[in-house]
Amino acid sequence: EPEVTQTPSHQVTQMGQEVILRCVPISNHLYFYWYRQILGQKVEFLVSFYNNEISEKSEIFDDQFSVERPDGSNFTLKIRSTKLEDSAMYFCASSVGVETQYFGPGTRLLVL
Amino acid sequence: SQKIEQNSEALNIQEGKTATLTCNYTNYSPAYLQWYRQDPGRGPVFLLLIRENEKEKRKERLKVTFDTTLKQSLFHITASQPADSATYLCALGGGDSSYKLIFGSGTRLLVRP
C-alpha cells in the first residue's frame, strides 16, 4: 500500500541553522501539507500546497518557513534560522482531494 | 476560535469490551470529521471519515457517529483488543472552505488483556 515517506527521521541542529525536511507524498495525490506536533501537544497545521503554490498557511508559518516541490515527487519544508521553539515532530501529509489526508512517519527536529 | 475537546483522561477498558471516545467542538462548522490513530513517536494513521450529512459510518470493528446539532462525534471500537491501545485523534476539516485539519488533543486508550 502506498505511503508517505519522510527523511530524515531525526534531525539535531544548532539554533540559527537552516534545516530542510523532506517528504515523498503518495504518487497520485495532488494536495500536500505540513503539520507539527510539539511534545505532548496537539497536531498543528502549518501549510497546505496545491498546484505548485501555497493554498493556506497558519500563523506559525512565518517568513522563516518555506515549502517547495522541486520535482514531481519531493515536497520540502525549509526553516531558515531555527529557534529552540521549533523543536517538534514535523509531519508531511498528502491527499487526492481535500478530504482524507495521509500522514508520514514524521521527522523529529531538535534545536539546541 | 475553534475548540475541539476530547476526553483528556485515559480510557482504560477490558479486552472484549466496547471503547467509546468522544469529540466535542465549538465555534466551527466542519464539512467532515476524521478519526486517526497515533502510536507514540509515530504519525497519525487515518481510520474513518464522516461527512456533515452522514449520521453514522462503520468499518470492521469501528463505528463513528456525527451529530452536527450537538457538535459531537462518538467513536466506538467493539470487541477491543490490546493491539487497539493507542491515542485516538479527532480532526475537523472543510469548514470555511479550508483544507486544513484541526486536531483535538487525543484520547489515550488502554485495553487490558
Side-chain angles (χ1 to χ4, degrees):
Chain A
E1 187 167 323
E3 291 180 337
V4 176
T5 59
Q6 292 185 240
T7 54
S9 58
H10 293 78
Q11 174 93 46
V12 181
T13 190
Q14 295 292 322
M15 191 169 57
Q17 295 296 303
E18 174 184 287
V19 294
I20 297 176
L21 310 183
R22 292 184 167 79
C23 168
V24 178
I26 296 172
S27 64
N28 63 332
H29 286 190
L30 301 175
Y31 298 81
F32 314 110
Y33 314 83
W34 284 99
Y35 290 80
R36 78 172 186 189
Q37 187 175 31
I38 294 170
L39 189 63
Q41 297 188 23
K42 297 182 184 184
V43 176
E44 301 175 285
F45 170 78
L46 293 177
V47 66
S48 59
F49 191 86
Y50 170 70
N51 203 25
N52 284 318
E53 60 183 24
I54 290 174
S55 47
E56 189 175 0
K57 59 184 180 180
S58 71
E59 292 175 355
I60 303 167
F61 195 89
D62 61 22
D63 292 343
Q64 293 300 313
F65 290 87
S66 62
V67 289
E68 196 177 37
R69 187 154 162 83
D71 53 43
S73 58
N74 291 285
F75 181 50
T76 62
L77 174 69
K78 182 193 290 186
I79 310 175
R80 287 192 186 80
S81 178
T82 49
K83 307 183 186 91
L84 296 176
E85 55 265 36
D86 293 328
S87 295
M89 196 76 158
Y90 287 81
F91 296 112
C92 173
S94 68
S95 60
V96 174
V98 300
E99 292 182 340
T100 304
Q101 296 178 24
Y102 294 89
F103 285 73
T107 293
R108 185 176 297 281
L109 176 65
L110 179 59
V111 182
L112 301 176
Chain B
S1 63
Q2 308 102 344
K3 191 172 178 185
I4 303 173
E5 288 185 352
Q6 296 187 248
N7 316 62
S8 56
E9 304 268 336
L11 185 60
N12 195 323
I13 64 169
Q14 186 74 40
E15 181 177 9
K17 300 293 186 187
T18 296
T20 298
L21 285 65
T22 305
C23 175
N24 294 295
Y25 61 93
T26 56
N27 299 326
Y28 195 62
S29 296
Y32 46 86
L33 185 149
Q34 306 188 39
W35 284 88
Y36 286 82
R37 169 183 172 140
Q38 188 175 31
D39 291 286
R42 309 293 295 272
V45 175
F46 171 74
L47 296 174
L48 277 172
L49 177 148
I50 187 164
R51 296 183 180 86
E52 59 180 336
N53 60 348
E54 298 173 317
K55 296 289 187 193
E56 183 179 300
K57 266 279 184 70
R58 291 174 186 259
K59 180 182 174 184
E60 297 172 352
R61 294 185 297 112
L62 309 180
K63 184 177 89 170
V64 174
T65 63
F66 192 13
D67 188 326
T68 54
T69 302
L70 289 179
K71 294 186 181 292
Q72 181 182 77
S73 174
L74 299 178
F75 177 75
H76 307 272
I77 305 175
T78 57
S80 59
Q81 304 164 0
D84 296 326
S85 299
T87 295
Y88 290 85
L89 308 177
C90 167
L92 308 182
D96 302 325
S97 303
S98 169
Y99 301 160
K100 68 183 180 190
L101 289 178
I102 304 169
F103 280 85
S105 54
T107 297
R108 195 154 58 92
L109 173 67
L110 177 61
V111 181
R112 302 188 312 275

